[in-house]
Amino acid sequence: MPFDSTHPRDGLNDPEIADTLSRLHRDARRDRWVFARALPSIALGFLRGRSVFESAEPFLSDAYIPVSPELGRLMYQVARAAKARNIVEFGSSFGISAIYLAAAARENGGRFTGTEMLPHKFRIAESNLVSAGLKRWADIREGDALESLEPLDGPVDFVFLDGWKEMYIPILHLLEPKLADGAIIFADNIHSFRKTLKPFVDYVCDPRNSYETTVVPIGSGVSISTWREQSKEKPDCRY
């Protein structure tokens, strides 16, 4: 894997990055109209015990559903502190989280690899990486992530899971042989997809699976796991 450490060191304060993120977070406010169109489905889902996001899922092909600036900055800072050089994302959407993670990869002299199933989102995400000045250190792979990530070289230092929730475990299983000791895994929407993601949370909270995990109340709930093959201590995974 080619790593390139020739870059400016302005981090998220880089004008191209800051301006692009500001524009995208502003544009993402239009998601409220997506949820407005989904209201009948959301109301029916409520009666059936489903979350807002689960009920609105069929309407989300044109929605940003972005990470918040708070979560984006947290991931950037954790990746920087961990000196993560090989950063992978499942579910890049329009590329907001990709910019935060690609900025960390650039600062660490590494590379970011994202994935996106929908062609129109893939094209826009790639364009947003160009606008942020990060394309040299990043790429997004179009199509089924199980196929596009299979040839990825390891070791992988940092993973962000934010695509289809049923795929969190299969994607994690695909990446496990490639994970570096101490690799960090962020997974979003733990609370908003509580039922769907319960098997995933149970998996990363089981010490027999070599993870140490906590779930934090940021946005719609985020799990943060560390991969340690020799871990024996049972983690506290209350959520």
Side-chain angles (χ1 to χ4, degrees), residues 3-124:
F3 291 117
D4 187 344
S5 59
T6 305
H7 58 82
R9 290 190 173 273
D10 295 328
L12 298 180
N13 295 319
D14 180 297
E16 288 184 300
I17 293 174
D19 289 349
T20 303
L21 284 173
S22 178
R23 170 176 60 82
L24 292 175
H25 280 299
R26 183 174 62 251
D27 290 348
R29 295 172 191 163
R30 295 198 296 261
D31 279 359
R32 65 182 181 271
W33 301 113
V34 174
F35 284 97
R37 291 194 299 272
L39 274 177
S41 179
I42 292 171
L44 181 61
F46 177 78
L47 296 175
R48 296 176 176 174
R50 304 183 73 200
S51 73
V52 170
F53 280 101
E54 288 172 315
S55 299
E57 217 166 29
F59 298 85
L60 301 183
S61 63
D62 291 316
Y64 282 77
I65 315 296
V67 298
S68 65
E70 177 187 23
L71 177 54
R73 286 183 173 274
L74 175 62
M75 291 197 296
Y76 168 82
Q77 290 168 348
V78 169
R80 285 285 289 122
K83 296 180 172 57
R85 300 185 72 202
N86 192 355
I87 299 176
V88 176
E89 176 181 51
F90 165 58
S92 295
S93 188
F94 290 118
I96 293 179
S97 50
I99 290 172
Y100 286 104
L101 295 173
R106 181 179 75 170
E107 293 291 304
N108 292 338
R111 189 161 187 84
F112 165 82
T113 302
T115 63
E116 178 51 49
M117 173 69 77
L118 299 178
H120 69 289
K121 284 192 171 185
F122 161 76
R123 291 191 296 270
I124 294 172

Side-chain angles (χ1 to χ4, degrees), residues 109-153:
R111 189 161 187 84
F112 165 82
T113 302
T115 63
E116 178 51 49
M117 173 69 77
L118 299 178
H120 69 289
K121 284 192 171 185
F122 161 76
R123 291 191 296 270
I124 294 172
E126 285 271 282
S127 175
N128 287 331
L129 284 173
V130 172
S131 295
L134 293 168
K135 189 65 183 75
R136 179 176 172 185
W137 295 270
D139 74 278
I140 296 177
R141 300 182 179 186
E142 182 182 3
D144 186 338
L146 286 174
E147 297 177 0
S148 64
L149 292 179
E150 196 282 329
L152 182 75
D153 292 330

